[in-house]
Amino acid sequence: CSKAGPNVGIGFFWVFSCTLPAAYMCRLLRSKAEAATDAYSYLSTFRLDSTRVTVEGDRAIVYACITARFGSPESFEAFVRKDLLDSIRRRIGNPYSFPYQWVTFICLPFAFWAYVDALSTSAEGIVAQGYSCDAPFVRYVLYHVCVFFYGNQNPMIEM
């Protein structure tokens, strides 16, 4: 490849090593979303008759307790479908939204790589990669990246 500079192999290593954990975290987040969706679906269609018990004789005891507390099995089912489901939805939230901290944690390797890449950018590095540094936009971006990281003492590029 004629445009490959000396750091192409290192860049691939960092991209690849950051992508595998990110893919795993995406799978975990997808599992969380699927579990929440399944729970919402089950609770919204809850039927007391379809529940399982280990010992069939326990069903009569459970029904008696439910009747004593809720008045009837139907009112218990209505409680589960409406009040309990609403309470769980408020606590868990949308199955496809994730806390900001989770998303930040997942993106940290990519952000680190991008900042390190920006820090190591220089006019010589761009030329070594086979690109021109004469475009005004490239010089503008390089200048401000260097000023950000090195302050006014900019040894890499001059505007």
Side-chain angles (χ1 to χ4, degrees):
C1 182
S2 63
K3 294 191 180 206
N7 296 326
V8 171
I10 299 295
F12 176 76
F13 168 75
W14 283 112
V15 170
F16 188 72
S17 64
C18 293
T19 301
L20 289 178
Y24 179 71
M25 291 300 293
C26 288
R27 179 62 190 130
L28 289 177
L29 293 176
R30 183 175 177 179
S31 297
K32 178 234 182 232
E34 289 171 351
T37 303
D38 292 346
Y40 293 163
S41 174
Y42 177 76
L43 290 175
S44 66
T45 60
F46 177 77
R47 297 231 355 109
L48 193 56
D49 295 333
S50 65
T51 58
R52 295 183 315 227
V53 292
T54 306
V55 178
E56 194 57 40
D58 291 345
R59 187 176 295 276
I61 297 169
V62 171
Y63 271 55
C65 292
I66 288 173
T67 303
R69 174 71 173 98
F70 290 95
S72 71
E74 291 79 20
S75 63
F76 174 71
E77 289 175 352
F79 167 78
V80 169
R81 289 184 198 140
K82 174 75 173 104
D83 298 335
L84 182 64
L85 179 59
D86 290 344
S87 176
I88 290 175
R89 276 196 175 138
R90 276 193 309 275
R91 181 69 180 127
I92 295 177
N94 183 344
Y96 298 103
S97 66
F98 306 105
Y100 176 75
Q101 293 88 353
W102 291 15
V103 175
T104 303
F105 178 74
I106 291 169
C107 293
L108 274 178
F110 296 108
F112 174 75
W113 180 58
Y115 289 135
V116 169
D117 195 37
L119 181 63
S120 66
T121 301
S122 67
E124 294 82 15
I126 288 180
V127 171
Q129 295 284 335
Y131 297 101
S132 171
C133 210
D134 295 330
F137 178 73
V138 172
R139 294 187 66 79
Y140 175 81
V141 169
L142 276 176
Y143 175 78
H144 286 285
V145 165
C146 291
V147 167
F148 176 77
F149 286 111
Y150 297 105
N152 291 333
Q153 310 298 326
N154 183 1
M156 294 186 164
I157 191 168
E158 296 175 11
M159 253 331 246

